[in-house]
Amino acid sequence: MKKGFIIILIIYISLLSGCGSYKDSLQIFYDEVTTLNIGESLSLSSTVNNEEVTWISDNQEVINVEENLLTAKKAGFANVSATVNDEVVLTKTFVVKDEAINIVIEGESNIKVGENIRLNATVNPILIDQRVTWDSSDPQVATVDDDGNVRAINKGITIITATSVASPQVMQTKVINVTDDEEDIEIDKLIFEFKEQNKEIDLLAYKRLFEPIIANASSSVVGVSNYINSSTPTNIGSGVIYKRNAILKNGDIVNDDLINLDDIEEYEYWVITNRHVIANHRSISIYYQKDKAEIPAELIQYDDKEDLAVLKFISKIYFPIAKFATTVETGDFVIAIGHSEGYDFFGSATFGIVSHPERYLSTDTNNDNLNDWDALYIQHDAPINEGNSGGPLINLKGEVVGINTIKQGNIFQNIDNICFAIPTSLTMDIVSLLEQGIRPKRVI
């Protein structure tokens, strides 16, 4: 992923009745969509439950499927279906992007039925004619007009395509998720009553909402142990799993979508944490509370200025991937998840609000007692402690909006209810470099 572009991935899977066992065996997950660049290929399962699988693409110009090999041919989207005994058991949408992205689409990705949003498209280079045409893959879910105005009609997912008027071969897509999810509606109702009407809210309703949110988000949070000079961790923090690949029995490492579970040997995981959690390490381990497992981890790269690092580890244990959101406002309810003061308090959840979405604080990044960098943070009051470092700050949809960090040796250390998290928008931009082993260089 190149710096400056954040691809928001939303999965679209249509499963027909009677195919649950096929879904499980084909290892289909609801938290991802497969996005490929032109020329990339993906091996597909040839059998499921000892029965032959036939794969069909509804747009061979975009996604070409021959036997069990899928190849991305041109920018656009296509639905790929798996057929067993002449019955379609699942259908999945693939988005194909040109590696040299020429159009950037800005705007919301998640809207509710009846809402309207505006998408803006910028054609690069700027000197090119900026006009684009808009199209929706499923107007029954959402329509789009000539000016990029999207109207949500029914629950579902559609793909909005912007095509350059000057160069029709240049296009870009954006996945739009339209929801009328009752849980989201209940959360919004509670927030409205709390903020606007100042009504007494049923605490049981909060508990009913918070339990699944915390449980789902916590499943992507691990412990990070820093061993320096002893057999016990010198420093303990938290980490968020943001990417997962499958390591096949033949040694290939691939995206684990559409991979037969029987072909998977183990998983490769990528984790976001704080730089200060792994500073001066001799070795790093990932801690998993359920099995009380210590899994060796590798430092991929860290940022000299922002308090971020990327780790990688391999395990046979299946972990879900965290979901992320970039929008946060003052007054939003948030939950911090982490291991307050060690693993005896693994997965602790604390509740608060966003005090301010953008705080710039001077930071000493090289331990010379001189502030040398102005870092961007979300200020919030969800209590966090040392073990929360590197853990997520989530919204009431379970989406990560920031990575919590403890500021060492500053005036806020002994003051209650002033806590900080690195915003997701900044985090993922930096992570896209760190995961390539690139340490960001800045002109100061």
Side-chain angles (χ1 to χ4, degrees):
M1 185 183 296
K2 296 186 177 180
K3 187 176 181 182
F5 297 98
I6 300 176
I7 301 174
I8 301 176
L9 306 179
I10 306 172
I11 194 165
Y12 173 58
I13 303 175
S14 300
L15 297 176
L16 300 182
S17 62
C19 61
S21 62
Y22 293 127
K23 177 200 74 173
D24 296 337
S25 298
L26 287 171
Q27 198 76 358
I28 303 298
F29 300 111
Y30 288 87
D31 58 347
E32 300 166 10
V33 65
T34 298
T35 302
L36 302 174
N37 288 316
I38 294 174
E40 290 186 328
S41 297
L42 180 66
S43 296
L44 305 175
S45 303
S46 59
T47 60
V48 58
N49 297 348
N50 296 320
E51 296 184 81
E52 185 177 351
V53 180
T54 301
W55 297 92
I56 301 171
S57 169
D58 68 356
N59 191 339
Q60 286 280 97
E61 292 185 357
V62 174
I63 292 286
N64 178 261
V65 178
E66 293 184 4
E67 295 182 349
N68 297 306
L69 182 66
L70 177 153
T71 304
K73 305 295 289 186
K74 63 178 288 188
F77 61 90
N79 296 311
V80 177
S81 301
T83 302
V84 177
N85 294 328
D86 296 325
E87 178 186 0
V88 176
V89 297
L90 64 88
T91 299
K92 181 171 182 176
T93 299
F94 287 79
V95 174
V96 178
K97 297 181 179 293
D98 191 330
E99 193 170 18
I101 299 175
N102 297 348
I103 298 178
V104 178
I105 301 176
E106 296 179 338
E108 294 292 328
S109 295
N110 300 287
I111 56 177
K112 291 184 180 178
V113 173
E115 289 185 342
N116 297 294
I117 60 170
R118 173 69 179 271
L119 299 179
N120 295 307
T122 303
V123 182
N124 295 313
I126 300 298
L127 295 178
I128 294 177
D129 185 344
Q130 290 292 299
R131 292 177 299 162
V132 298
T133 59
W134 296 92
D135 182 61
S136 171
S137 66
D138 192 345
Q140 293 186 350
V141 172
T143 60
V144 60
D145 64 18
D146 294 339
D147 297 320
N149 296 306
V150 177
R151 178 169 179 76
I153 307 298
N154 291 298
K155 183 177 180 179
I157 289 180
T158 187
I159 298 175
I160 303 296
T161 302
T163 303
S164 170
V165 171
S167 303
Q169 75 278 9
V170 176
M171 64 179 62
Q172 183 59 280
T173 58
K174 187 177 185 68
V175 181
I176 300 294
N177 179 35
V178 178
T179 180
D180 61 0
D181 189 275
E182 290 300 323
E183 185 173 284
D184 288 345
I185 292 173
E186 285 299 317
I187 290 172
D188 289 343
K189 179 181 177 182
L190 287 171
I191 293 173
F192 177 78
E193 290 178 349
F194 186 81
K195 285 184 175 180
E196 304 297 335
Q197 299 181 8
N198 197 28
K199 290 183 178 180
E200 182 178 353
I201 301 173
D202 183 359
L203 293 180
L204 289 178
Y206 266 127
K207 183 176 184 293
R208 189 169 61 249
L209 291 172
F210 288 172
E211 280 183 335
I213 293 170
I214 294 170
N216 289 336
S218 296
S219 62
S220 302
V221 181
V222 294
V224 177
S225 300
N226 180 349
Y227 292 86
I228 299 179
N229 294 315
S230 67
S231 59
T232 58
T234 304
N235 197 10
I236 288 176
S238 305
V240 180
I241 297 175
Y242 74 95
K243 187 167 73 172
R244 177 189 61 235
N245 291 317
I247 301 177
L248 305 185
K249 292 179 179 178
N250 64 7
D252 291 344
I253 300 177
V254 298
N255 185 288
D256 65 2
D257 277 346
L258 301 178
I259 299 297
N260 193 325
L261 187 60
D262 294 336
D263 295 332
I264 298 176
E265 179 69 23
E266 51 194 355
Y267 296 96
E268 175 189 79
Y269 294 101
W270 297 74
V271 177
I272 302 169
T273 189
N274 284 154
R275 177 190 67 246
H276 78 258
V277 170
I278 51 85
N280 303 316
H281 71 279
R282 173 175 53 83
S283 64
I284 303 171
S285 292
I286 298 298
Y287 180 84
Y288 177 46
Q289 174 75 4
K290 184 176 180 181
D291 294 340
K292 298 190 182 301
E294 286 273 352
I295 306 168
E298 172 190 358
L299 171 64
I300 301 301
Q301 191 55 275
Y302 63 87
D303 191 345
D304 286 322
K305 301 301 181 185
E306 299 294 342
D307 194 8
L308 292 170
V310 169
L311 312 177
K312 183 174 71 173
F313 73 96
I314 294 173
S315 174
K316 292 183 180 295
I317 302 171
Y318 175 79
F319 294 95
I321 297 173
K323 297 180 181 180
F324 293 83
T326 57
T327 301
V328 63
E329 298 178 355
T330 298
D332 285 351
F333 290 159
V334 286
I335 300 169
I337 299 175
H339 322 310
S340 303
E341 296 300 327
Y343 296 141
D344 288 342
F345 302 96
F346 186 94
S348 297
T350 55
F351 179 72
I353 65 168
V354 172
S355 306
H356 198 284
E358 293 184 355
R359 289 287 193 215
Y360 285 91
L361 298 177
S362 295
T363 306
D364 175 15
T365 63
N366 56 9
N367 297 318
D368 63 356
N369 296 318
L370 295 175
N371 291 334
D372 51 62
W373 180 252
D374 289 334
L376 174 63
Y377 296 99
I378 298 169
Q379 180 191 339
H380 65 91
D381 70 351
I384 58 177
N385 296 286
E386 293 290 343
N388 286 94
S389 294
L393 183 72
I394 65 171
N395 61 21
L396 292 193
K397 292 184 180 180
E399 300 164 328
V400 179
V401 296
I403 300 297
N404 284 312
T405 181
I406 299 296
K407 299 290 295 175
Q408 300 290 349
N410 60 60
I411 62 173
F412 300 108
Q413 189 171 359
N414 298 313
I415 299 177
D416 292 335
N417 299 328
I418 298 183
C419 307
F420 298 97
I422 304 171
T424 286
S425 55
L426 176 61
T427 296
M428 299 312 292
D429 197 20
I430 293 172
V431 163
S432 68
L433 297 176
L434 298 181
E435 67 181 7
Q436 300 176 62
I438 300 172
R439 190 176 302 170
K441 298 184 183 298
R442 301 173 175 89
V443 178
I444 301 178

